[in-house]
Amino acid sequence: MSKFVVVVIDSFGVGAMDDVPQVRPEDIGANTCGHILQCFPQLSLPVLEKLGLINALGFTEGAMQSSASAVYGTAMLQHEGGDTFMGHQEILGTRPQPPLRMPFSAVIDDVERALIADCWQVERKGSDLQYLWVNQAVAIGDNLEADLGQVFNISANLNAISFEEVRVIGEIVRHCVQVGRVIAFGGLLESSQQLLDAAEEKLGQYIGINAPRSGVYQHGFQVVHMGFGVNASVQVPQKLHEVNIKTVLVGKVADIAINPHGVSYQNLVDTQQIMNITLNELQKPGDIFICTNIQETDLAGHAQDVDRYAERLQVVDENLGRLMSAMQPGDCLVVMADHGNDPTIGHSKHTRENVPLLVWQPGITGAHLGVRTTLSDVGATVCDFFSASAPQNGTSFLSLLHNTNTGGNHG
């Protein structure tokens, strides 16, 4: 019985990709990991250090050092920009396609009509550029933290409206639009005016709510991600189901990935709770694939809160140690990210960065996995590990792993 666990530290990039000067000049110089270590030179992350974080970073910063025994590499983003939704689809084996881009202004009429037809109270806010204000508690407009034009947000005060009602609003919006993602979320705010006060325009085309500034992340945050055009039949969960391997998704990945035959722990944000569930699932009998997302690091990046980011990393590090202590010979752990979100770069959006790729098994010997050209190499490796057919995209690195305990790997 073998376990394969992938822990995605959301937004924990290790340096701007080579194409950033051409495609995202605002991310020039971004390095989420490196800049956090610069801000906290005495930060200790002993498990990530052992796994090869500094090896993947490519230079020594602060007290942490490279590891001679690490199995490490980096992975490039094959999807455009730097997006959690597309990043996780890529991890699970989807070949990314160019995203559809449009401002919310292009669909505001259709969304407004659909909401009114469903008996919601709808107003328009703004002058030349407008967003929708629903039931005095929900703002609908452009996502200002992701790549502009690819995501629409439904931002809500959950003290004034239930999350289930917000989800219904999100489903109406999702039905009306074809951008890659609609995000319906909210938090417990003292006043719905906090949302209105956080409205911003960008580039003369986009208008929405600055989510970190509104305060929705701070108390009682809940979220659902609604994707478009994902073909789950080519992804890891389906390929594993075909060989009777269960997939367990924990945290944000459970909100955005399709997993009809497995177990999905959705609407979770707290890092400790997420890691506790991951450990509990790891200790259950049988072959299993677990993919876990740590979202609070990404939220700290959006809030440009370096202190919070570093503190959440310490929680992750401690819990990675707990996972590794519970793993048996033949099990496999991958620690990675899905993009960057450098809290020091001067903007609150994701940053287009290479991500660390850290691999560990009991008894594994050190190895360099190189620069992987897509996050999908992880999904391909998972399928290879369980002797399942390959997903749509990616190249397995399983043959590069050498284990002194078992002399080989699963399958």
Side-chain angles (χ1 to χ4, degrees):
M1 294 185 295
S2 296
K3 313 292 195 297
F4 198 117
V5 183
V6 174
V7 176
V8 182
I9 306 176
D10 202 311
S11 84
F12 195 42
V14 290
M17 287 183 55
D18 289 344
D19 64 0
V20 156
Q22 290 76 44
V23 300
R24 285 172 67 99
E26 69 270 29
D27 293 347
I28 291 174
N31 193 318
T32 303
C33 175
H35 288 154
I36 289 170
L37 295 181
Q38 283 179 4
C39 291
F40 295 98
Q42 298 307 311
L43 182 64
S44 176
L45 303 169
V47 178
L48 285 166
E49 184 176 36
K50 172 185 176 181
L51 291 174
L53 177 62
I54 302 305
N55 307 58
L57 180 62
F59 58 91
T60 301
E61 187 64 62
M64 294 175 61
Q65 301 295 315
S66 60
S67 169
S69 62
V71 180
Y72 72 97
T74 57
M76 300 165 62
L77 313 184
Q78 194 176 12
H79 68 275
E80 293 185 21
D83 182 71
T84 295
F85 180 82
M86 283 311 305
H88 283 78
Q89 307 306 328
E90 187 178 336
I91 290 169
L92 293 177
T94 290
R95 184 178 299 116
Q97 301 298 316
L100 176 68
R101 290 185 173 91
M102 66 174 62
F104 184 66
S105 59
V107 296
I108 189 171
D109 294 342
D110 293 339
V111 173
E112 182 181 46
R113 279 193 295 268
L115 288 166
I116 291 172
D118 202 49
C119 300
W120 297 93
Q121 177 192 339
V122 184
E123 305 173 54
R124 292 198 182 202
K125 296 288 186 181
S127 52
D128 293 337
L129 281 176
Q130 296 181 316
Y131 63 96
L132 298 180
W133 184 238
V134 181
N135 281 45
Q136 299 291 313
V138 181
I140 307 175
D142 293 295
N143 180 307
L144 305 180
E145 285 77 52
D147 292 331
L148 294 171
Q150 293 187 29
V151 183
F152 298 150
N153 276 6
I154 295 97
S155 314
N157 174 15
L158 298 184
N159 268 327
I161 190 170
S162 73
F163 184 63
E164 285 309 309
E165 291 174 294
V166 176
R167 184 192 295 267
V168 170
I169 292 171
E171 289 170 349
I172 293 171
V173 176
R174 175 72 282 175
H175 184 72
C176 294
V177 304
Q178 294 187 339
V179 293
R181 187 156 47 122
V182 169
I183 312 178
F185 63 92
L188 300 172
L189 303 177
E190 292 183 7
S191 168
S192 298
Q193 186 66 36
Q194 290 174 244
L195 294 169
L196 299 174
D197 291 344
E200 291 183 6
E201 295 184 15
K202 289 194 174 182
L203 304 181
Q205 268 191 293
Y206 305 95
I207 185 169
I209 306 303
N210 181 323
R213 189 156 68 86
S214 72
V216 290
Y217 295 155
Q218 294 175 6
H219 304 289
F221 179 68
Q222 295 188 69
V223 62
V224 59
H225 298 256
M226 302 175 179
F228 179 81
V230 175
N231 180 4
S233 70
V234 303
Q235 293 187 323
V236 174
Q238 176 61 31
K239 299 299 182 182
L240 295 185
H241 173 68
E242 291 168 3
V243 292
N244 299 312
I245 304 294
K246 183 174 74 172
T247 293
V248 174
L249 306 179
V250 188
K252 189 174 182 178
V253 62
D255 300 328
I256 61 181
I258 299 170
N259 184 30
H261 306 293
V263 175
S264 296
Y265 291 90
Q266 298 178 317
N267 299 320
L268 298 175
V269 178
D270 181 75
T271 299
Q272 189 59 59
Q273 182 185 11
I274 286 168
M275 292 303 278
N276 287 344
I277 291 170
T278 303
L279 178 60
N280 182 58
E281 286 290 340
L282 172 70
Q283 293 172 322
K284 291 181 179 179
D287 293 339
I288 191 170
F289 166 55
I290 305 170
C291 187
T292 292
N293 174 278
I294 305 298
Q295 185 181 4
E296 286 188 307
T297 45
D298 187 49
L299 297 180
H302 285 309
Q304 299 173 273
D305 189 339
V306 187
D307 294 53
R308 177 66 171 171
Y309 206 125
E311 187 270 333
R312 289 292 89 186
L313 286 174
Q314 290 175 300
V315 175
V316 173
D317 194 78
E318 178 182 345
N319 282 280
L320 286 174
R322 295 171 65 210
L323 285 180
M324 291 161 66
S325 295
M327 294 179 78
Q328 303 297 314
D331 293 346
C332 189
L333 170 69
V334 170
V335 180
M336 64 183 303
D338 51 347
H339 50 73
N341 196 340
D342 189 336
T344 73
I345 198 70
H347 64 71
S348 62
K349 297 195 303 177
H350 293 162
T351 42
R352 182 168 172 78
E353 297 183 46
N354 298 298
V355 304
L357 181 61
L358 313 177
V359 182
W360 184 84
Q361 295 179 284
I364 201 165
T365 56
H368 185 211
L369 303 176
V371 179
R372 316 303 298 191
T373 58
T374 171
L375 307 180
S376 293
D377 286 4
V378 173
T381 303
V382 172
C383 287
D384 193 6
F385 180 87
F386 287 114
S387 300
S389 60
Q392 179 187 51
N393 197 40
T395 302
S396 172
F397 51 77
L398 190 68
S399 64
L400 301 179
L401 309 183
H402 301 288
N403 193 305
T404 58
N405 278 352
T406 64
N409 289 285
H410 189 283

PDB file of all heavy atoms in Angstrom, residues 342-373:
ATOM      1  N   ASP A 342       4.809  37.581  -4.706  1.00  0.00           N
ATOM      2  CA  ASP A 342       5.854  38.270  -3.946  1.00  0.00           C
ATOM      3  C   ASP A 342       5.257  39.444  -3.175  1.00  0.00           C
ATOM      4  O   ASP A 342       4.808  40.423  -3.783  1.00  0.00           O
ATOM      5  CB  ASP A 342       6.932  38.750  -4.918  1.00  0.00           C
ATOM      6  CG  ASP A 342       8.174  39.285  -4.223  1.00  0.00           C
ATOM      7  OD1 ASP A 342       8.068  39.719  -3.064  1.00  0.00           O
ATOM      8  OD2 ASP A 342       9.251  39.260  -4.844  1.00  0.00           O
ATOM      9  N   PRO A 343       5.242  39.364  -1.839  1.00  0.00           N
ATOM     10  CA  PRO A 343       4.613  40.442  -1.064  1.00  0.00           C
ATOM     11  C   PRO A 343       5.440  41.720  -1.029  1.00  0.00           C
ATOM     12  O   PRO A 343       4.976  42.734  -0.492  1.00  0.00           O
ATOM     13  CB  PRO A 343       4.485  39.831   0.336  1.00  0.00           C
ATOM     14  CG  PRO A 343       5.573  38.812   0.411  1.00  0.00           C
ATOM     15  CD  PRO A 343       5.723  38.265  -0.986  1.00  0.00           C
ATOM     16  N   THR A 344       6.647  41.708  -1.610  1.00  0.00           N
ATOM     17  CA  THR A 344       7.514  42.886  -1.590  1.00  0.00           C
ATOM     18  C   THR A 344       7.610  43.583  -2.940  1.00  0.00           C
ATOM     19  O   THR A 344       8.312  44.591  -3.068  1.00  0.00           O
ATOM     20  CB  THR A 344       8.944  42.493  -1.162  1.00  0.00           C
ATOM     21  OG1 THR A 344       9.605  41.788  -2.226  1.00  0.00           O
ATOM     22  CG2 THR A 344       8.941  41.615   0.076  1.00  0.00           C
ATOM     23  N   ILE A 345       6.918  43.076  -3.965  1.00  0.00           N
ATOM     24  CA  ILE A 345       7.155  43.533  -5.334  1.00  0.00           C
ATOM     25  C   ILE A 345       6.485  44.869  -5.621  1.00  0.00           C
ATOM     26  O   ILE A 345       6.827  45.553  -6.593  1.00  0.00           O
ATOM     27  CB  ILE A 345       6.681  42.454  -6.345  1.00  0.00           C
ATOM     28  CG1 ILE A 345       7.292  42.678  -7.739  1.00  0.00           C
ATOM     29  CG2 ILE A 345       5.164  42.412  -6.427  1.00  0.00           C
ATOM     30  CD1 ILE A 345       8.764  42.409  -7.819  1.00  0.00           C
ATOM     31  N   GLY A 346       5.503  45.264  -4.799  1.00  0.00           N
ATOM     32  CA  GLY A 346       4.862  46.561  -4.992  1.00  0.00           C
ATOM     33  C   GLY A 346       3.476  46.500  -5.590  1.00  0.00           C
ATOM     34  O   GLY A 346       2.833  47.530  -5.816  1.00  0.00           O
ATOM     35  N   HIS A 347       2.977  45.298  -5.878  1.00  0.00           N
ATOM     36  CA  HIS A 347       1.577  45.140  -6.277  1.00  0.00           C
ATOM     37  C   HIS A 347       1.023  43.899  -5.598  1.00  0.00           C
ATOM     38  O   HIS A 347       1.768  43.084  -5.058  1.00  0.00           O
ATOM     39  CB  HIS A 347       1.425  45.062  -7.806  1.00  0.00           C
ATOM     40  CG  HIS A 347       2.064  43.871  -8.462  1.00  0.00           C
ATOM     41  ND1 HIS A 347       1.561  42.584  -8.335  1.00  0.00           N
ATOM     42  CD2 HIS A 347       3.152  43.751  -9.260  1.00  0.00           C
ATOM     43  CE1 HIS A 347       2.303  41.732  -9.020  1.00  0.00           C
ATOM     44  NE2 HIS A 347       3.292  42.412  -9.588  1.00  0.00           N
ATOM     45  N   SER A 348      -0.300  43.762  -5.608  1.00  0.00           N
ATOM     46  CA  SER A 348      -0.944  42.705  -4.821  1.00  0.00           C
ATOM     47  C   SER A 348      -1.370  41.518  -5.663  1.00  0.00           C
ATOM     48  O   SER A 348      -2.100  40.648  -5.184  1.00  0.00           O
ATOM     49  CB  SER A 348      -2.171  43.271  -4.095  1.00  0.00           C
ATOM     50  OG  SER A 348      -3.137  43.740  -5.024  1.00  0.00           O
ATOM     51  N   LYS A 349      -0.905  41.435  -6.909  1.00  0.00           N
ATOM     52  CA  LYS A 349      -1.295  40.335  -7.793  1.00  0.00           C
ATOM     53  C   LYS A 349      -0.298  39.182  -7.693  1.00  0.00           C
ATOM     54  O   LYS A 349       0.800  39.324  -7.169  1.00  0.00           O
ATOM     55  CB  LYS A 349      -1.359  40.814  -9.252  1.00  0.00           C
ATOM     56  CG  LYS A 349      -2.393  41.879  -9.531  1.00  0.00           C
ATOM     57  CD  LYS A 349      -2.643  42.020 -11.019  1.00  0.00           C
ATOM     58  CE  LYS A 349      -1.380  42.331 -11.785  1.00  0.00           C
ATOM     59  NZ  LYS A 349      -1.615  42.402 -13.241  1.00  0.00           N
ATOM     60  N   HIS A 350      -0.691  38.032  -8.246  1.00  0.00           N
ATOM     61  CA  HIS A 350       0.241  36.934  -8.403  1.00  0.00           C
ATOM     62  C   HIS A 350       1.442  37.381  -9.234  1.00  0.00           C
ATOM     63  O   HIS A 350       1.322  38.285 -10.073  1.00  0.00           O
ATOM     64  CB  HIS A 350      -0.431  35.752  -9.122  1.00  0.00           C
ATOM     65  CG  HIS A 350      -1.510  35.100  -8.321  1.00  0.00           C
ATOM     66  ND1 HIS A 350      -2.462  34.295  -8.885  1.00  0.00           N
ATOM     67  CD2 HIS A 350      -1.782  35.122  -6.993  1.00  0.00           C
ATOM     68  CE1 HIS A 350      -3.288  33.855  -7.945  1.00  0.00           C
ATOM     69  NE2 HIS A 350      -2.893  34.346  -6.788  1.00  0.00           N
ATOM     70  N   THR A 351       2.564  36.722  -9.002  1.00  0.00           N
ATOM     71  CA  THR A 351       3.753  36.978  -9.802  1.00  0.00           C
ATOM     72  C   THR A 351       4.101  35.713 -10.580  1.00  0.00           C
ATOM     73  O   THR A 351       3.932  34.600 -10.089  1.00  0.00           O
ATOM     74  CB  THR A 351       4.927  37.410  -8.907  1.00  0.00           C
ATOM     75  OG1 THR A 351       4.968  36.601  -7.719  1.00  0.00           O
ATOM     76  CG2 THR A 351       4.777  38.858  -8.493  1.00  0.00           C
ATOM     77  N   ARG A 352       4.582  35.920 -11.810  1.00  0.00           N
ATOM     78  CA  ARG A 352       4.894  34.799 -12.704  1.00  0.00           C
ATOM     79  C   ARG A 352       6.295  34.292 -12.374  1.00  0.00           C
ATOM     80  O   ARG A 352       7.310  34.849 -12.826  1.00  0.00           O
ATOM     81  CB  ARG A 352       4.792  35.249 -14.161  1.00  0.00           C
ATOM     82  CG  ARG A 352       5.051  34.106 -15.170  1.00  0.00           C
ATOM     83  CD  ARG A 352       4.650  34.513 -16.578  1.00  0.00           C
ATOM     84  NE  ARG A 352       5.057  33.536 -17.585  1.00  0.00           N
ATOM     85  CZ  ARG A 352       4.437  32.394 -17.840  1.00  0.00           C
ATOM     86  NH1 ARG A 352       3.357  32.057 -17.143  1.00  0.00           N
ATOM     87  NH2 ARG A 352       4.871  31.568 -18.787  1.00  0.00           N
ATOM     88  N   GLU A 353       6.339  33.234 -11.572  1.00  0.00           N
ATOM     89  CA  GLU A 353       7.614  32.716 -11.089  1.00  0.00           C
ATOM     90  C   GLU A 353       7.728  31.214 -11.331  1.00  0.00           C
ATOM     91  O   GLU A 353       6.729  30.485 -11.349  1.00  0.00           O
ATOM     92  CB  GLU A 353       7.763  32.961  -9.581  1.00  0.00           C
ATOM     93  CG  GLU A 353       7.794  34.426  -9.170  1.00  0.00           C
ATOM     94  CD  GLU A 353       8.013  34.595  -7.678  1.00  0.00           C
ATOM     95  OE1 GLU A 353       8.913  33.917  -7.127  1.00  0.00           O
ATOM     96  OE2 GLU A 353       7.288  35.397  -7.059  1.00  0.00           O
ATOM     97  N   ASN A 354       8.976  30.775 -11.496  1.00  0.00           N
ATOM     98  CA  ASN A 354       9.265  29.354 -11.379  1.00  0.00           C
ATOM     99  C   ASN A 354       8.922  28.899  -9.970  1.00  0.00           C
ATOM    100  O   ASN A 354       8.936  29.703  -9.018  1.00  0.00           O
ATOM    101  CB  ASN A 354      10.746  29.100 -11.646  1.00  0.00           C
ATOM    102  CG  ASN A 354      11.151  29.510 -13.052  1.00  0.00           C
ATOM    103  OD1 ASN A 354      10.649  28.971 -14.022  1.00  0.00           O
ATOM    104  ND2 ASN A 354      12.054  30.468 -13.153  1.00  0.00           N
ATOM    105  N   VAL A 355       8.642  27.629  -9.806  1.00  0.00           N
ATOM    106  CA  VAL A 355       8.272  27.126  -8.483  1.00  0.00           C
ATOM    107  C   VAL A 355       9.228  26.019  -8.060  1.00  0.00           C
ATOM    108  O   VAL A 355       9.820  25.336  -8.898  1.00  0.00           O
ATOM    109  CB  VAL A 355       6.810  26.612  -8.458  1.00  0.00           C
ATOM    110  CG1 VAL A 355       5.860  27.709  -8.906  1.00  0.00           C
ATOM    111  CG2 VAL A 355       6.638  25.359  -9.297  1.00  0.00           C
ATOM    112  N   PRO A 356       9.400  25.845  -6.747  1.00  0.00           N
ATOM    113  CA  PRO A 356      10.255  24.753  -6.274  1.00  0.00           C
ATOM    114  C   PRO A 356       9.581  23.406  -6.506  1.00  0.00           C
ATOM    115  O   PRO A 356       8.354  23.298  -6.493  1.00  0.00           O
ATOM    116  CB  PRO A 356      10.392  25.048  -4.778  1.00  0.00           C
ATOM    117  CG  PRO A 356       9.147  25.802  -4.423  1.00  0.00           C
ATOM    118  CD  PRO A 356       8.797  26.605  -5.646  1.00  0.00           C
ATOM    119  N   LEU A 357      10.396  22.405  -6.725  1.00  0.00           N
ATOM    120  CA  LEU A 357       9.913  21.031  -6.861  1.00  0.00           C
ATOM    121  C   LEU A 357      10.782  20.173  -5.941  1.00  0.00           C
ATOM    122  O   LEU A 357      11.938  19.887  -6.251  1.00  0.00           O
ATOM    123  CB  LEU A 357      10.018  20.566  -8.305  1.00  0.00           C
ATOM    124  CG  LEU A 357       9.520  19.154  -8.611  1.00  0.00           C
ATOM    125  CD1 LEU A 357       8.042  19.020  -8.281  1.00  0.00           C
ATOM    126  CD2 LEU A 357       9.773  18.808 -10.075  1.00  0.00           C
ATOM    127  N   LEU A 358      10.233  19.822  -4.788  1.00  0.00           N
ATOM    128  CA  LEU A 358      10.974  19.117  -3.749  1.00  0.00           C
ATOM    129  C   LEU A 358      10.336  17.756  -3.536  1.00  0.00           C
ATOM    130  O   LEU A 358       9.117  17.662  -3.319  1.00  0.00           O
ATOM    131  CB  LEU A 358      10.948  19.915  -2.439  1.00  0.00           C
ATOM    132  CG  LEU A 358      11.265  21.422  -2.556  1.00  0.00           C
ATOM    133  CD1 LEU A 358      11.140  22.100  -1.205  1.00  0.00           C
ATOM    134  CD2 LEU A 358      12.637  21.653  -3.165  1.00  0.00           C
ATOM    135  N   VAL A 359      11.112  16.700  -3.597  1.00  0.00           N
ATOM    136  CA  VAL A 359      10.584  15.340  -3.540  1.00  0.00           C
ATOM    137  C   VAL A 359      11.284  14.586  -2.413  1.00  0.00           C
ATOM    138  O   VAL A 359      12.500  14.705  -2.215  1.00  0.00           O
ATOM    139  CB  VAL A 359      10.812  14.597  -4.877  1.00  0.00           C
ATOM    140  CG1 VAL A 359      10.209  13.194  -4.825  1.00  0.00           C
ATOM    141  CG2 VAL A 359      10.202  15.395  -6.038  1.00  0.00           C
ATOM    142  N   TRP A 360      10.503  13.800  -1.675  1.00  0.00           N
ATOM    143  CA  TRP A 360      11.074  13.010  -0.574  1.00  0.00           C
ATOM    144  C   TRP A 360      10.357  11.683  -0.444  1.00  0.00           C
ATOM    145  O   TRP A 360       9.134  11.600  -0.629  1.00  0.00           O
ATOM    146  CB  TRP A 360      10.956  13.772   0.746  1.00  0.00           C
ATOM    147  CG  TRP A 360      11.598  13.054   1.897  1.00  0.00           C
ATOM    148  CD1 TRP A 360      12.913  13.075   2.255  1.00  0.00           C
ATOM    149  CD2 TRP A 360      10.932  12.219   2.850  1.00  0.00           C
ATOM    150  NE1 TRP A 360      13.130  12.298   3.363  1.00  0.00           N
ATOM    151  CE2 TRP A 360      11.932  11.754   3.755  1.00  0.00           C
ATOM    152  CE3 TRP A 360       9.612  11.798   3.025  1.00  0.00           C
ATOM    153  CZ2 TRP A 360      11.629  10.897   4.815  1.00  0.00           C
ATOM    154  CZ3 TRP A 360       9.306  10.955   4.072  1.00  0.00           C
ATOM    155  CH2 TRP A 360      10.317  10.514   4.962  1.00  0.00           C
ATOM    156  N   GLN A 361      11.126  10.640  -0.177  1.00  0.00           N
ATOM    157  CA  GLN A 361      10.630   9.325   0.224  1.00  0.00           C
ATOM    158  C   GLN A 361      11.533   8.818   1.341  1.00  0.00           C
ATOM    159  O   GLN A 361      12.728   9.170   1.394  1.00  0.00           O
ATOM    160  CB  GLN A 361      10.687   8.335  -0.938  1.00  0.00           C
ATOM    161  CG  GLN A 361       9.789   8.653  -2.105  1.00  0.00           C
ATOM    162  CD  GLN A 361       9.942   7.626  -3.214  1.00  0.00           C
ATOM    163  OE1 GLN A 361      10.915   7.640  -3.955  1.00  0.00           O
ATOM    164  NE2 GLN A 361       8.963   6.733  -3.326  1.00  0.00           N
ATOM    165  N   PRO A 362      11.026   7.973   2.231  1.00  0.00           N
ATOM    166  CA  PRO A 362      11.924   7.344   3.205  1.00  0.00           C
ATOM    167  C   PRO A 362      13.059   6.610   2.483  1.00  0.00           C
ATOM    168  O   PRO A 362      12.803   5.789   1.599  1.00  0.00           O
ATOM    169  CB  PRO A 362      11.004   6.375   3.951  1.00  0.00           C
ATOM    170  CG  PRO A 362       9.634   6.958   3.813  1.00  0.00           C
ATOM    171  CD  PRO A 362       9.616   7.572   2.441  1.00  0.00           C
ATOM    172  N   GLY A 363      14.293   6.971   2.789  1.00  0.00           N
ATOM    173  CA  GLY A 363      15.434   6.306   2.187  1.00  0.00           C
ATOM    174  C   GLY A 363      15.851   6.832   0.834  1.00  0.00           C
ATOM    175  O   GLY A 363      16.738   6.251   0.194  1.00  0.00           O
ATOM    176  N   ILE A 364      15.268   7.926   0.366  1.00  0.00           N
ATOM    177  CA  ILE A 364      15.599   8.423  -0.964  1.00  0.00           C
ATOM    178  C   ILE A 364      17.018   8.991  -0.975  1.00  0.00           C
ATOM    179  O   ILE A 364      17.507   9.508   0.036  1.00  0.00           O
ATOM    180  CB  ILE A 364      14.571   9.473  -1.422  1.00  0.00           C
ATOM    181  CG1 ILE A 364      14.577   9.613  -2.949  1.00  0.00           C
ATOM    182  CG2 ILE A 364      14.809  10.826  -0.737  1.00  0.00           C
ATOM    183  CD1 ILE A 364      13.377  10.351  -3.501  1.00  0.00           C
ATOM    184  N   THR A 365      17.692   8.883  -2.100  1.00  0.00           N
ATOM    185  CA  THR A 365      19.034   9.445  -2.264  1.00  0.00           C
ATOM    186  C   THR A 365      18.951  10.724  -3.080  1.00  0.00           C
ATOM    187  O   THR A 365      18.063  10.890  -3.921  1.00  0.00           O
ATOM    188  CB  THR A 365      19.971   8.443  -2.952  1.00  0.00           C
ATOM    189  OG1 THR A 365      19.403   8.049  -4.202  1.00  0.00           O
ATOM    190  CG2 THR A 365      20.154   7.202  -2.088  1.00  0.00           C
ATOM    191  N   GLY A 366      19.876  11.641  -2.821  1.00  0.00           N
ATOM    192  CA  GLY A 366      19.846  12.951  -3.437  1.00  0.00           C
ATOM    193  C   GLY A 366      19.861  12.897  -4.958  1.00  0.00           C
ATOM    194  O   GLY A 366      20.504  12.034  -5.558  1.00  0.00           O
ATOM    195  N   ALA A 367      19.164  13.827  -5.575  1.00  0.00           N
ATOM    196  CA  ALA A 367      19.111  13.890  -7.034  1.00  0.00           C
ATOM    197  C   ALA A 367      18.671  15.286  -7.462  1.00  0.00           C
ATOM    198  O   ALA A 367      17.988  15.992  -6.715  1.00  0.00           O
ATOM    199  CB  ALA A 367      18.144  12.847  -7.596  1.00  0.00           C
ATOM    200  N   HIS A 368      19.076  15.669  -8.664  1.00  0.00           N
ATOM    201  CA  HIS A 368      18.649  16.937  -9.251  1.00  0.00           C
ATOM    202  C   HIS A 368      17.657  16.646 -10.363  1.00  0.00           C
ATOM    203  O   HIS A 368      17.974  15.902 -11.303  1.00  0.00           O
ATOM    204  CB  HIS A 368      19.862  17.706  -9.797  1.00  0.00           C
ATOM    205  CG  HIS A 368      19.508  19.056 -10.313  1.00  0.00           C
ATOM    206  ND1 HIS A 368      20.170  19.670 -11.350  1.00  0.00           N
ATOM    207  CD2 HIS A 368      18.536  19.927  -9.932  1.00  0.00           C
ATOM    208  CE1 HIS A 368      19.625  20.849 -11.591  1.00  0.00           C
ATOM    209  NE2 HIS A 368      18.634  21.031 -10.742  1.00  0.00           N
ATOM    210  N   LEU A 369      16.463  17.184 -10.237  1.00  0.00           N
ATOM    211  CA  LEU A 369      15.396  16.923 -11.202  1.00  0.00           C
ATOM    212  C   LEU A 369      15.411  17.900 -12.362  1.00  0.00           C
ATOM    213  O   LEU A 369      14.607  17.766 -13.289  1.00  0.00           O
ATOM    214  CB  LEU A 369      14.035  16.966 -10.503  1.00  0.00           C
ATOM    215  CG  LEU A 369      13.868  16.007  -9.320  1.00  0.00           C
ATOM    216  CD1 LEU A 369      12.516  16.218  -8.656  1.00  0.00           C
ATOM    217  CD2 LEU A 369      14.030  14.560  -9.767  1.00  0.00           C
ATOM    218  N   GLY A 370      16.291  18.902 -12.297  1.00  0.00           N
ATOM    219  CA  GLY A 370      16.414  19.859 -13.378  1.00  0.00           C
ATOM    220  C   GLY A 370      15.289  20.876 -13.397  1.00  0.00           C
ATOM    221  O   GLY A 370      14.530  21.029 -12.440  1.00  0.00           O
ATOM    222  N   VAL A 371      15.185  21.559 -14.521  1.00  0.00           N
ATOM    223  CA  VAL A 371      14.121  22.549 -14.722  1.00  0.00           C
ATOM    224  C   VAL A 371      13.018  21.875 -15.536  1.00  0.00           C
ATOM    225  O   VAL A 371      13.197  21.580 -16.718  1.00  0.00           O
ATOM    226  CB  VAL A 371      14.653  23.792 -15.459  1.00  0.00           C
ATOM    227  CG1 VAL A 371      13.522  24.788 -15.686  1.00  0.00           C
ATOM    228  CG2 VAL A 371      15.786  24.437 -14.679  1.00  0.00           C
ATOM    229  N   ARG A 372      11.917  21.608 -14.910  1.00  0.00           N
ATOM    230  CA  ARG A 372      10.787  20.965 -15.591  1.00  0.00           C
ATOM    231  C   ARG A 372      10.012  22.041 -16.348  1.00  0.00           C
ATOM    232  O   ARG A 372       9.796  23.140 -15.843  1.00  0.00           O
ATOM    233  CB  ARG A 372       9.864  20.263 -14.594  1.00  0.00           C
ATOM    234  CG  ARG A 372      10.571  19.452 -13.517  1.00  0.00           C
ATOM    235  CD  ARG A 372      11.496  18.375 -14.048  1.00  0.00           C
ATOM    236  NE  ARG A 372      10.790  17.361 -14.845  1.00  0.00           N
ATOM    237  CZ  ARG A 372      11.345  16.215 -15.240  1.00  0.00           C
ATOM    238  NH1 ARG A 372      12.613  15.944 -14.904  1.00  0.00           N
ATOM    239  NH2 ARG A 372      10.658  15.349 -15.958  1.00  0.00           N
ATOM    240  N   THR A 373       9.577  21.728 -17.560  1.00  0.00           N
ATOM    241  CA  THR A 373       8.963  22.739 -18.416  1.00  0.00           C
ATOM    242  C   THR A 373       7.483  22.959 -18.133  1.00  0.00           C
ATOM    243  O   THR A 373       6.881  23.887 -18.677  1.00  0.00           O
ATOM    244  CB  THR A 373       9.135  22.366 -19.897  1.00  0.00           C
ATOM    245  OG1 THR A 373       8.548  21.089 -20.125  1.00  0.00           O
ATOM    246  CG2 THR A 373      10.613  22.325 -20.264  1.00  0.00           C
TER     247      THR A 373
END
